Amino acid sequence: MPGRLRPNPFMAIGIAILVASCGSGPGVSVTPSGTESVTWPPVGWPTDSGMTLMPTAPGDIHLIKHVVMIMQENRSFDTYFGTYPGVDGIPMAGGSPTVCVPDPANGGCVTPFHNTANKELGGPHGNSDARADIANGAMSGFVGQQEGAKKGCSPTLSPACGAGGPPDVMGYMDQREIPNYWTWAGGFVLQDHMFEPVSSWSLPAHLFMVSGWSAKCTNPSDPMSCVTNIGSPGLPTSAKPSPYAWTDLTYLLHKNNVSWGYFIRTGVAPDCADDAMTCTPGQQTAAVASIWNPLPGFGDVAADGQLGNVQSIDDFFTDATDGTLPAVSWVTPDGNVSEHPPNLVSAGQSYVTRLIDAVMAGPDWSSTAIFLAWDDWGGFYDNVAPPTVDGSGYGLRVPGLVISPYARQGYIDHQILSFDAYLKFIEDDFLGGQRIDPATDGRPDSRPNVRENAPQLGDLTADFDFTQAPRPPDVLSATPQTDLK
């Protein structure tokens, strides 16, 4: 059956279904609205419908010697996993969505629909757009926001060009379009309450990813001059090459002799500096700070002599092959493989597969944890209102996967999570529980809180069983057959 998932020979407990979440059990015939019936899980996959959330992981977190964070672009959880059995997904009844989002331009409303389009448009995704999409918890602004979005500065990228039909922000995909993502969900861990750490666009999300904060500093040499800014924190300029004066995670890693690398694919960086939906694509390189490459703009990275740790994606593949991965790796794409609309979903899935295959096939696989996520929701529909931890977020839900030889098998993690949980896991694994905390880290800054200590934040160790023998790799095809058109 082309485009379907194949049984994973290393599965031990398979897909775990929470009946309360979806009302569907193992082997259910999943029928997304307007599509054919799909049997899930595939025949031959073992199941365990009695899954319970494990509050802590047995064994030793220090079996993980390498953490790899792969950050893709602009997809909501429901866009990719809204019909995955057992998750807090698109509300359904009899295989059809029961939600309908208002359509201000045309009247009526738009229900979620199965979408096979390889090239999508998405919607605007700045802070004001997040507030409008969330609509005080009604989750009803997505269609209107896409219809009223700014038109791009490049006509070929404008939503007015070829956007016809139902707004694509209401579309969702499943194993027929993104088989490798669904395979990893079935074989490892899928997180259905992973929220963007900030209710905004890519630059603030990436700043949170490496530092637990997004701010603007009046004096780039004074960490106490920084004030929370989740709309326009700014980029480095020739006059201010290091505008991010507050502390990022690499400061603690360097201080404790923990190796790290930030790997970026040279090429197109399409997310717009004004958080518009579309704009003329720029260029990114490892040496220059940019929206998806913020670390060269942090003063502590330059002061520690660590700018050379920001490297080309080619170096990541070399390290994975040679067994020389650093303890902590961030991996970011260029536009062409980012899944950021209007770039192709298939190109992003192939790129991510090559990254994960490289780690699995390398000497470091047996001691690695891979965290795969998407930096923001991209304007796409999601049905879950994000919880509030502070004035910055959380933002909307994004897909999250944990892939590791020690990851639980077929496990759905329902904890509230954000990228802050990645920082927390790294700090617990490599830094003895130290936090990016101005009161204790030796480099005071003016951040309002310590995000890793938020009481709502779950613990990623729940996604692991460190007592199990490390599972062998399961290398996938980087060019799977799909229904994408």
Side-chain angles (χ1 to χ4, degrees):
M1 189 186 320
R4 306 303 195 267
L5 297 181
R6 56 187 175 81
N8 184 332
F10 308 120
M11 290 287 288
I13 59 175
I15 302 295
I17 304 297
L18 282 183
V19 175
S21 297
C22 228
S24 56
V28 64
S29 179
V30 181
T31 310
S33 178
T35 67
E36 63 183 288
S37 177
V38 180
T39 297
W40 186 261
V43 174
W45 281 39
T47 58
D48 176 10
S49 60
M51 184 193 76
T52 56
L53 186 64
M54 300 297 292
T56 58
D60 185 2
I61 188 177
H62 302 301
L63 290 170
I64 300 300
K65 308 295 184 185
H66 309 279
V67 171
V68 177
M69 290 162 284
I70 300 173
M71 191 59 59
Q72 290 293 98
E73 295 290 318
N74 289 50
R75 301 287 159 171
S76 71
F77 181 85
D78 278 345
T79 298
Y80 275 180
F81 292 102
T83 59
Y84 192 97
V87 302
D88 188 356
I90 298 169
M92 295 273 192
S96 297
T98 59
V99 293
C100 200
V101 171
D103 181 348
N106 302 299
C109 58
V110 180
T111 60
F113 61 93
H114 181 231
N115 191 3
T116 62
N118 202 2
K119 181 177 181 178
E120 296 181 285
L121 291 166
H125 45 278
N127 176 241
S128 62
D129 305 301
R131 292 196 303 269
D133 283 349
I134 295 167
N136 294 317
M139 309 307 287
S140 60
F142 301 90
V143 175
Q145 286 302 107
Q146 184 177 34
E147 291 172 338
K150 299 176 185 177
K151 300 301 185 286
C153 50
S154 172
T156 59
L157 297 180
S158 170
C161 301
D168 64 9
V169 293
M170 297 303 295
Y172 61 82
M173 296 181 180
D174 58 31
Q175 71 270 29
R176 290 164 289 185
E177 292 73 46
I178 45 174
N180 288 3
Y181 293 154
W182 276 51
T183 292
W184 291 322
F188 297 97
V189 176
L190 175 63
Q191 299 157 326
D192 72 349
H193 286 87
M194 171 62 75
F195 295 91
E196 182 191 359
V198 58
S199 186
S200 196
W201 61 295
S202 287
L203 177 56
H206 282 74
L207 290 170
F208 265 92
M209 179 180 74
V210 298
S211 74
W213 196 25
S214 174
K216 198 160 192 172
C217 310
T218 56
N219 182 350
S221 62
D222 181 7
M224 300 304 294
S225 74
C226 307
V227 177
T228 298
N229 189 310
I230 64 172
S232 301
L235 286 168
T237 64
S238 56
K240 293 182 178 180
S242 302
Y244 310 136
W246 68 94
T247 306
D248 66 84
L249 181 63
T250 71
Y251 172 79
L252 286 176
L253 296 176
H254 175 68
K255 184 178 177 180
N256 289 273
N257 299 310
V258 178
S259 59
W260 66 270
Y262 193 101
F263 302 93
I264 188 161
R265 194 173 190 262
T266 300
V268 176
D271 212 338
C272 308
D274 62 355
D275 71 50
M277 183 166 60
T278 57
C279 64
T280 301
Q283 293 292 312
Q284 65 180 18
T285 66
V288 179
S290 59
I291 291 166
W292 298 347
N293 184 29
L295 280 176
F298 276 87
D300 57 5
V301 177
D304 289 339
Q306 299 275 283
L307 288 172
N309 290 35
V310 183
Q311 304 168 61
S312 163
I313 195 70
D314 295 336
D315 296 310
F316 178 81
F317 283 108
T318 298
D319 288 350
T321 300
D322 293 347
T324 56
L325 285 172
V328 177
S329 299
W330 291 274
V331 186
T332 55
D334 80 325
N336 292 330
V337 297
S338 67
E339 296 160 75
H340 186 299
N343 296 285
L344 301 181
V345 172
S346 60
Q349 181 175 232
S350 293
Y351 156 78
V352 172
T353 302
R354 291 187 178 96
L355 292 172
I356 292 175
D357 283 354
V359 175
M360 285 189 171
D364 291 330
W365 164 247
S366 63
S367 57
T368 295
I370 300 170
F371 301 135
L372 170 60
W374 284 253
D375 73 337
D376 66 54
W377 83 112
F380 288 100
Y381 171 75
D382 195 80
N383 85 94
V384 175
T388 299
V389 295
D390 55 29
S392 296
Y394 295 141
L396 281 90
R397 232 177 17 155
V398 296
L401 293 162
V402 177
I403 301 165
S404 172
Y406 292 103
R408 298 182 183 279
Q409 298 174 313
Y411 182 69
I412 299 172
D413 185 348
H414 299 290
Q415 297 180 96
I416 293 175
L417 298 167
S418 79
F419 305 166
D420 307 320
Y422 300 154
L423 299 176
K424 179 179 177 180
F425 184 94
I426 291 165
E427 292 160 353
D428 289 347
D429 191 4
F430 300 114
L431 301 173
Q434 295 181 66
R435 300 287 184 248
I436 310 174
D437 183 347
T440 61
D441 63 19
R443 193 178 185 275
D445 61 27
S446 51
R447 69 184 62 220
N449 55 8
V450 178
R451 269 298 192 90
E452 304 94 297
N453 291 338
Q456 301 96 325
L457 185 67
D459 189 336
L460 288 177
T461 59
D463 295 342
F464 296 85
D465 179 357
F466 296 117
T467 65
Q468 71 187 18
R471 287 188 284 152
D474 184 19
V475 174
L476 303 179
S477 170
T479 55
Q481 186 173 357
T482 74
D483 289 352
L484 290 166
K485 298 178 176 62

